[in-house]
Amino acid sequence: MPDKQMNRPHAIIVMGVSGCGKSSVGEKLAEALHLAFVEGDALHPAPNVEKMSKGIPLTDEDRMPWLDRIGDDIKASLEKGEGIIVSCSALKRLYRDRLRAAAGGNLFFVYLEGSRALLMKRMGERKGHFMPASLLDSQLATLEVPTDEPGVVTVDIDDSVEGITGTALKGLAILGVTA
């Protein structure tokens, strides 16, 4: 008997700290899986963007309305019978569990992991992003790696966007997520 969860549309969050490639990989995954992509950073309330652009780390209290908005978007998409991919740091298990609850359990995560040196290099190369490299250490300190959580694919980012996406797609296929 097929798993009912696999017969429904999928929601996927591409997660990790700033500079890991969530947006680039999320766009490629969306293209490969024929799903809509939502840039999670675009859903931050203005006060959050202002804080981060000043180098001030967000608190749990700051993040909750943002996570709820992402959760609402995921829920609405799934209720319409449409899959969705969202980029979201989802640094703590508490955040991921909140998103899982909003999605009704049909949520997968692609965790992009890399060394601090590689992340700093990538952050230094990007242009026009509000998140300064100075906040990377606070994100790494906040990060609760999703080891042993259900529905998580971990991908090392020391590769091209295409290579990272390919590895993520293989991991998602093992979980039953296919185009």
Side-chain angles (χ1 to χ4, degrees), residues 39-53:
E39 171 57 64
D41 282 344
L43 303 178
H44 269 294
N48 285 9
V49 174
E50 186 177 333
K51 276 181 92 167
M52 288 184 285
S53 55

Side-chain angles (χ1 to χ4, degrees), residues 14-15 20 25 29 109-114 122 146 152-172:
V14 182
M15 64 160 288
C20 69
V25 172
L29 284 173
F109 289 87
V110 173
Y111 167 52
L112 303 178
E113 91 177 332
R122 289 186 176 186
V152 176
V153 174
T154 299
V155 182
D156 189 300
I157 63 166
D158 195 9
D159 199 351
S160 65
V161 172
E162 292 75 18
I164 295 165
T165 303
T167 302
L169 287 167
K170 287 176 191 164
L172 288 166

Side-chain angles (χ1 to χ4, degrees), residues 32-43:
L33 295 171
H34 311 289
L35 298 175
F37 173 71
V38 174
E39 171 57 64
D41 282 344
L43 303 178

Side-chain angles (χ1 to χ4, degrees), residues 13 43 64-78 84 86 88 98-104 107:
I13 291 183
L43 303 178
M64 291 309 161
W66 174 62
L67 292 167
D68 289 342
R69 174 130 185 238
I70 291 171
D72 289 346
D73 282 9
I74 290 170
K75 182 178 180 183
S77 182
L78 293 175
I84 188 171
V86 182
C88 172
R98 190 176 187 109
L99 292 164
R100 284 183 182 103
L107 179 61

Side-chain angles (χ1 to χ4, degrees), residues 6-22:
M6 293 303 125
N7 293 329
R8 297 186 321 194
H10 307 297
I12 300 167
I13 291 183
V14 182
M15 64 160 288
V17 298
S18 189
C20 69
K22 294 182 293 289

